[in-house]
Amino acid sequence: MYAKFYKYRWQYLMILPGVVLLLLFNYIPMAGIQVAFRDFQIGTSIWNSSWVGLNNFSFLQDPQFLTVVKNTLYISVLKFIFGFPAPILLALLINEVTRPVFKRFVQSVSYLPHFFSWIVVAYILQSFMTLDGGLVNELIGKAGGDPIFFLGSTDWFRPMVIFSSLWKETGWNTILYLAAITTIDPQLYESAKVEGAGKLAQIRHITIPGMLPTISIVLILSIPSLITVGMDQIYPLMNSANQGVADVLDTYIIRNGLQQGYFGMATAVGLLSSVLSLILVVSTNQLSRRINGEGLW
C-alpha cells in the first residue's frame, strides 16, 4: 500500500487542498446539525444549549409548512420537466450547425446568461415586467390589452421562475452534452449514412445513445433539486402579493431562522430536506443502474 501511495504521491498532493477544503466546509460544520435537537439562541454555545429532542420538528404539524412543501414540489417539478430536456435538445441543435462561426456565436450567446447573478436576473425581470414603464406591459398596451401586474400575480409567478431558469441555465448545461457528443465515433455516422439513415435516425440511434451515460449522471445529480428549489432565484422575486405561491422550503428556512430567530426549527427543516435529498439520490442511482447500467457508484 505504501508503494502505491508513493507512486501516486504527486497526484495525492494535487488533490490535498480540495480534500482539506471539503473537510473544513462540508464535514466539520456538520456538527451544527445538533442545533436541530437543541434550544439554541444567539450568544450561547451549541454545546451548552439544552437538549429538546424532537421539539424543533413541530413544524410538521404547521399548515403553513404543508403549503410551503406544496409550492416547493410544484415549482421544482415544473423546473425539472422543462429544464432537464431543454439543454439536451439545445445540444442536439447546436451539434447540427455546420458553420463554425455561427456555432460559436450561438454557444457564446446561450452561455452568457449563466454568468449573471440571480439578483441581476430579478432586476431584469422587474424592469421588463413592471406596471410602470415595463417593456412587456408597454407591448400589451399597444396591442390593446390591459396591463398585467406580473410581479404581484400568483398566476404569473411560476411561469416567470421557469422562464428565467431556462434562459439563465439552459445554454450552460449544454456543455456536458456537447462534450459527450464529441466522444462519439464519427465512423458510426458515416456507416449510418451508407445505410441510408437520415439526420433524425442518426440522432435517435447514434447521438442519443452516446449521450445516455451523461444524461444518467446529470439526472441523478438533478434529483435533489426537487427538494431545494433555490433561494437565490425565488427570494428576490417574492413579495407579500405572491408569497402564497412563492414561499418554498429555502425561503421558509430563511424567514424562520434568520428573521425570526427560530434557529432550531430552521435547522430541523434543513436537516429533513438533506435526508430526503440523500434518499432521492440513492434511489435514483439504483434505478439508473438497473435501467441502463450507469450510475454515480
Side-chain angles (χ1 to χ4, degrees):
M1 181 177 180
Y2 176 78
K4 185 177 181 180
F5 178 82
Y6 182 80
K7 179 180 179 181
Y8 298 103
R9 61 190 182 279
W10 298 116
Q11 287 85 344
Y12 287 126
L13 184 62
M14 289 178 63
I15 66 173
L16 180 60
V19 173
V20 172
L21 291 176
L22 191 67
L23 291 174
L24 289 176
F25 294 99
N26 291 83
Y27 284 92
I28 294 179
M30 288 181 69
I33 290 176
Q34 60 182 303
V35 174
F37 307 97
R38 292 180 181 270
D39 183 18
F40 174 74
Q41 300 294 330
I42 289 294
T44 62
S45 170
I46 295 177
W47 309 98
N48 295 331
S49 300
S50 59
W51 188 269
V52 296
L54 299 177
N55 289 352
N56 289 325
F57 289 84
S58 59
F59 63 85
L60 294 172
Q61 301 175 354
D62 182 9
Q64 185 182 6
F65 178 74
L66 297 179
T67 302
V68 168
V69 172
K70 178 183 175 181
N71 292 339
T72 303
L73 293 177
Y74 199 107
I75 294 176
S76 62
V77 170
L78 286 177
K79 289 178 66 175
F80 182 80
I81 291 175
F82 290 99
F84 184 75
I88 299 175
L89 295 176
L90 182 59
L92 293 174
L93 292 174
I94 292 176
N95 185 59
E96 296 301 321
V97 177
T98 56
R99 296 184 179 181
V101 175
F102 183 68
K103 186 174 184 177
R104 288 195 296 268
F105 173 77
V106 172
Q107 288 178 296
S108 300
V109 171
S110 62
Y111 295 168
L112 184 61
H114 171 77
F115 299 99
F116 297 159
S117 70
W118 279 114
I119 298 296
V120 174
V121 175
Y123 179 77
I124 293 174
L125 287 175
Q126 292 171 4
S127 299
F128 274 79
M129 297 184 173
T130 183
L131 278 174
D132 185 15
L135 177 61
V136 176
N137 276 314
E138 289 287 340
L139 294 176
I140 292 176
K142 290 181 180 179
D146 297 326
I148 301 174
F149 185 26
F150 291 101
L151 302 176
S153 172
T154 56
D155 295 328
W156 285 99
F157 178 80
R158 289 162 178 163
M160 281 197 305
V161 170
I162 306 304
F163 171 78
S164 60
S165 179
L166 289 174
W167 176 74
K168 185 176 185 297
E169 300 297 344
T170 299
W172 180 259
N173 292 335
T174 60
I175 294 177
L176 287 176
Y177 300 117
L178 288 172
I181 292 175
T182 59
T183 63
I184 300 175
D185 190 353
Q187 294 182 358
L188 295 176
Y189 293 102
E190 297 297 331
S191 301
K193 290 179 182 179
V194 172
E195 296 294 331
K199 284 293 183 181
L200 292 179
Q202 294 176 34
I203 292 174
R204 178 182 177 184
H205 297 288
I206 299 176
T207 308
I208 293 180
M211 297 168 63
L212 276 180
T214 302
I215 294 175
S216 300
I217 293 174
V218 174
L219 174 63
I220 295 171
L221 295 176
S222 300
I223 289 301
S225 63
L226 295 177
I227 302 298
T228 56
V229 177
M231 184 273 297
D232 49 351
Q233 179 189 10
I234 302 295
Y235 195 74
L237 297 174
M238 189 175 71
N239 52 55
S240 58
N242 60 27
Q243 186 172 341
V245 297
D247 199 13
V248 294
L249 281 174
D250 293 328
T251 58
Y252 185 79
I253 293 173
I254 292 294
R255 190 173 65 256
N256 286 278
L258 295 182
Q259 296 179 357
Q260 300 182 14
Y262 299 136
F263 301 104
M265 188 183 73
T267 306
V269 176
L271 176 60
L272 181 62
S273 301
S274 299
V275 171
L276 292 177
S277 297
L278 177 62
I279 294 173
L280 288 174
V281 168
V282 174
S283 302
T284 308
N285 184 74
Q286 294 301 319
L287 182 62
S288 176
R289 290 184 64 86
R290 289 185 179 183
I291 294 176
N292 56 26
E294 298 289 340
L296 289 177
W297 66 87

